[in-house]
């Protein structure tokens, strides 16, 4: 599953230039008739899933005689640039595979269909709530994508380290506050072991219920005393030795790498991460416990959006609904390590039932999480903004500046960048 940040600034700049552009034609865009040829653009799914996609397309064309679907699959690298080029030349495909951060600037410039209006399906009843919320954007009204396939994270714990340091891996932390508490216990029992291994991000503020973005989506607003208090807590944990010093280094490898190396007792990862941990470090086999993500689980989303300039809008919407229906999504989830976004998929035991294997347990846990999972980071945050915030938080955690000053400085710089988008 490809989860990345789009270059929102560039996308928005292109979209602004399209505001006055005419459509590619409106032969029957106002018609409810499902007919004609439409294009479906996917992102790096062929050749591995060509047979699956062709089967789905054939099913659609059979259900709706008189329709034809042309499949376009774009390479993984440079996809955002390809979408930019299509938007700039007014040649967006009828149905486009867009993660929410790619869809945001196009929705803001009315280039995508609000799929919550006049839909063939009730999107709020068909898809899990978090996946619909992912395609609702500040400053806009509506839903600008049909959720397609999803993923989330689980927590993984080193049972050997837990037992050695006075903790119970069958009762791991369920919240961030419990994580701090158990990190203190581990440090007191085993001064050279670490439970925590990361500094805070903007996601920590979201988890704490702190607004990160203004209602109109034009300003970051997380430089509050409450947010500073969260950074203070990490600063104190770092000072007390609950985290390895490397978490503040520019070459920090991430908690997954440290967990695999046996240097820390906790990491996050997808439902299939256990196999990777054991492959890279065979000594972890049978020594890893799995639990749900702390607090609110993160949600990673891929979806299908419909171009508002489509000549066959009704057909395009019907195709997007067809590809993302429960049956087709379930089949896809059996082929690749992702989860379906439909509520009806709960009836598929492959996702919902623990089959007694470590992989089956993790899959069932992750699928259950999707009921409450949410997109936790604002889509307006690009890579450059992440770097700015990480640098400021590192200064605060190290104790070089106050947490409030660090957040004030980060918000000032990030708002300057946001204003240029």
């Amino acid at each position: 599953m490809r989860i990345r940040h789009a270059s929102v600034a560039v996308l928005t700049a292109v979209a602004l230039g399209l505001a006055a552009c005419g459509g590619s034609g409106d032969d029957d865009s106002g018609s409810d008739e499902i007919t004609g040829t439409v294009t479906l653009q996917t992102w790096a799914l062929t050749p591995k899933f060509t047979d699956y996609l062709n089967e789905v397309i054939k099913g659609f064309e059979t259900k709706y005689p008189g329709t034809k679907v042309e499949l376009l699959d774009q390479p993984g690298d440079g996809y955002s640039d390809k979408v930019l080029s299509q938007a700039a030349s007014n040649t967006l495909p009828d149905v486009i595979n867009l993660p929410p951060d790619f869809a945001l600037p196009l929705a803001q410039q009315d280039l995508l269909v609000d799929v919550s209006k006049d839909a063939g399906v009730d999107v709020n009843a068909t898809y899990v709530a978090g996946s619909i919320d992912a395609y609702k954007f500040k400053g806009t009204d509506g839903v600008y994508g049909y959720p397609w396939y999803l993923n989330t994270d689980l927590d993984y714990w080193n049972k050997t380290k837990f037992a050695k340091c006075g903790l119970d891996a069958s009762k791991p932390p369920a919240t961030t506050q419990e994580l701090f508490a158990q990190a203190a216990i581990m440090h007191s029992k085993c001064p050279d072991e670490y439970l925590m291994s990361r500094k805070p991000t903007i996601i920590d503020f979201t988890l704490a219920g702190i607004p990160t973005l203004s209602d109109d989506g034009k300003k970051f607003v997380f430089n509050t005393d409450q947010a500073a208090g969260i950074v203070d807590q990490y600063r104190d944990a770092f000072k007390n030795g609950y985290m390895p010093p490397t978490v503040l280094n520019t070459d920090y490898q991430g908690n997954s790498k440290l967990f695999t190396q046996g240097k820390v007792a906790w990491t996050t990862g997808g439902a299939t991460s256990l196999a990777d941990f054991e492959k890279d470090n065979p000594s972890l086999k049978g020594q890893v416990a799995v639990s749900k993500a702390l607090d609110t689980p993160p949600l990673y989303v891929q979806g299908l959006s419909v171009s508002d300039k489509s000549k066959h809008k009704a057909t395009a919407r019907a195709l997007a609904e067809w590809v993302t229906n429960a049956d087709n999504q379930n089949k896809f989830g059996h082929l690749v390590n992702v989860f379906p976004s439909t509520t009806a998929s709960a009836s598929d035991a492959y996702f919902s039932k623990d089959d007694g294997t470590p992989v089956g347990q993790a899959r069932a846990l992750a699928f259950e999480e999707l009921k409450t999972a949410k997109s936790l980071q604002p889509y307006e945050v690009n890579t450059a903004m992440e770097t700015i915030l990480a640098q400021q938080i590192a200064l605060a955690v190290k104790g070089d500046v106050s947490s409030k000053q660090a957040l004030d400085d980060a918000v000032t710089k990030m708002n300057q960048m946001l204003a240029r988008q």
Side-chain angles (χ1 to χ4, degrees), residues 2-123:
R2 295 163 303 280
I3 300 297
R4 54 178 288 184
H5 295 293
S7 178
V8 177
V10 180
L11 277 168
T12 303
V14 172
L16 286 169
L18 292 174
C21 287
S24 58
D26 55 1
D27 298 357
D28 67 352
S29 60
S31 170
D32 291 332
E33 186 177 3
I34 300 176
T35 187
T37 299
V38 293
T39 50
L40 168 63
Q41 178 164 288
T42 55
W43 184 7
L45 294 183
T46 65
K48 187 173 183 179
F49 302 109
T50 300
D51 290 344
Y52 167 78
L53 292 169
N54 284 340
E55 180 183 346
V56 172
I57 288 170
K58 182 179 179 181
F60 178 78
E61 293 173 342
T62 299
K63 181 177 181 179
Y64 298 105
T67 62
K68 180 175 176 57
V69 178
E70 294 180 352
L71 176 64
L72 306 173
D73 188 70
Q74 303 296 340
D77 293 337
Y79 185 61
S80 60
D81 292 335
K82 181 62 179 181
V83 173
L84 287 174
S85 176
Q86 291 169 328
S89 60
N90 205 26
T91 57
L92 282 174
D94 299 281
V95 180
I96 323 155
N97 181 183
L98 294 176
D101 53 339
F102 282 37
L104 166 62
L106 302 184
Q108 289 175 329
Q109 297 304 318
D110 300 322
L111 297 177
L112 302 179
V113 170
D114 174 3
V115 300
S116 67
K117 294 180 179 178
D118 306 318
V121 300
D122 180 347
V123 294

Side-chain angles (χ1 to χ4, degrees), residues 137-409:
F137 307 120
K138 287 183 179 293
T140 68
D141 292 320
V143 178
Y144 293 94
Y146 294 95
W148 190 3
Y149 53 93
L150 313 176
N151 227 323
T152 187
D153 282 338
L154 295 169
D155 283 336
Y156 293 91
W157 314 92
N158 186 307
K159 293 194 287 187
T160 301
K161 292 182 184 294
F162 265 61
K164 172 186 173 184
C165 303
L167 298 174
D168 185 352
S170 68
K171 300 177 181 178
T175 67
T176 299
Q177 293 309 309
E178 290 178 10
L179 178 69
F180 278 104
Q182 293 200 25
I185 294 172
M186 175 168 283
H187 181 69
S188 68
K189 300 284 186 179
C190 304
D192 295 327
E193 298 285 3
Y194 303 101
L195 183 59
M196 300 175 63
S197 57
R198 68 172 182 84
K199 59 182 181 290
T201 69
I202 197 170
I203 289 175
D204 289 84
F205 308 146
T206 302
L207 289 172
I210 299 169
T212 57
L213 200 65
S214 61
D215 290 340
D216 59 8
K218 295 181 178 180
K219 288 185 178 181
F220 292 104
V221 295
F222 57 81
N223 55 328
T224 64
D225 291 339
Q226 185 182 359
I230 291 174
V231 180
D232 285 344
Q233 194 171 19
Y234 278 89
R235 178 203 62 200
D236 294 343
F238 181 78
K239 181 180 179 180
N240 291 332
Y242 301 170
M243 295 185 282
T246 55
V247 300
L248 300 184
N249 294 353
T250 55
D251 60 351
Y252 168 60
Q253 295 178 302
N255 57 10
S256 179
K257 178 66 72 174
L258 295 178
F259 182 84
T260 302
Q261 294 172 345
K263 295 180 179 179
V264 299
W266 165 62
T267 188
T268 58
T272 60
S273 292
L274 180 58
D276 294 329
F277 299 148
E278 294 178 348
K279 178 182 178 182
D280 294 339
N281 183 354
S283 69
L284 290 174
K285 189 172 180 63
Q287 298 304 314
V288 178
V290 59
S291 68
K292 292 183 179 181
L294 302 178
D295 306 303
T296 300
L299 181 66
Y300 310 121
V301 187
Q302 286 286 344
L304 294 177
S305 296
V306 175
S307 170
D308 197 54
K309 308 300 182 183
S310 173
K311 294 180 180 180
H312 303 285
K313 202 174 297 182
T315 307
R317 295 183 64 162
L319 174 61
E321 292 169 3
W322 173 260
V323 175
T324 61
N325 69 28
D327 183 51
N328 286 322
Q329 287 213 49
N330 291 356
K331 290 177 181 176
F332 191 54
H334 283 248
L335 295 174
V336 64
N337 296 318
V338 295
F339 294 96
S341 62
T342 66
T343 56
S345 296
S347 63
D348 188 328
Y350 176 79
F351 302 108
S352 60
K353 301 297 183 183
D354 179 354
D355 62 9
T357 66
V359 171
Q361 178 195 14
R363 184 169 54 234
L365 273 175
F367 185 70
E368 178 68 18
E369 279 191 343
L370 294 177
K371 294 178 181 178
T372 57
K374 295 180 180 180
S375 297
L376 299 176
Q377 177 158 305
Y379 300 122
E380 290 80 359
V381 177
N382 59 29
T383 302
M385 294 177 186
E386 283 183 318
T387 300
I388 292 292
L389 181 57
Q391 291 171 342
Q392 293 301 318
I393 285 180
L395 291 173
V397 172
K398 193 185 301 183
D400 290 349
V401 300
S402 72
S403 297
K404 183 62 165 62
Q405 184 63 55
L407 295 183
D408 284 342
D409 291 345

